[in-house]
Amino acid sequence: MNEKHIKKGKPEMEDDLRSEYDLKSLRVRKFGPERKSFGKTTIRLEPDVAQVFPDADAVNEALRFLIRVVQDNQVSALIKQPHSSLEGTDKSP
């Protein structure tokens, strides 16, 4: 019978990583608001606002709607605004 010797203490881990991988330069990602976001912007919502929106998609949808409303109002204001440079140029009797 072939017996295996069991060592007490730390078990040996099997390592499938290649020897050229340098893991010493890696950093541990933090959790929570202090963590680095990789290319994304993190926005904190006040608690009363966060209660209204269940997730990021709902916040983005509401903000996009607000952007459209503001842009539409700006276009409407420009259309309704009289062109002062053209006023008084009409010389009809």
Side-chain angles (χ1 to χ4, degrees):
M1 190 181 260
N2 214 1
E3 287 186 33
K4 290 186 177 182
H5 296 286
I6 300 175
K7 294 181 183 179
K8 292 189 178 183
K10 291 184 180 179
E12 276 192 43
M13 293 176 49
E14 291 186 28
D15 192 358
D16 293 335
L17 292 177
R18 295 181 180 177
S19 61
E20 63 263 22
Y21 293 154
D22 179 18
L23 301 180
K24 293 176 185 173
S25 63
L26 294 178
R27 294 185 182 175
V28 176
R29 286 186 67 189
K30 295 180 181 179
F31 293 103
E34 301 87 29
R35 74 178 182 180
K36 291 182 181 178
S37 59
F38 298 95
K40 294 184 178 185
T41 303
T42 302
I43 308 284
R44 286 193 209 171
L45 300 178
E46 294 294 325
D48 60 324
V49 175
Q51 286 179 350
V52 176
F53 299 101
D55 55 24
D57 290 334
V59 173
N60 287 324
E61 183 180 342
L63 290 174
R64 286 185 183 108
F65 176 76
L66 180 61
I67 290 168
R68 283 194 305 270
V69 168
V70 169
Q71 288 174 341
D72 289 348
N73 285 340
Q74 288 175 347
V75 169
S76 296
L78 288 174
I79 292 172
K80 292 179 182 178
Q81 187 178 20
H83 298 288
S84 59
S85 61
L86 296 177
E87 287 181 12
T89 59
D90 185 20
K91 297 183 179 182
S92 58

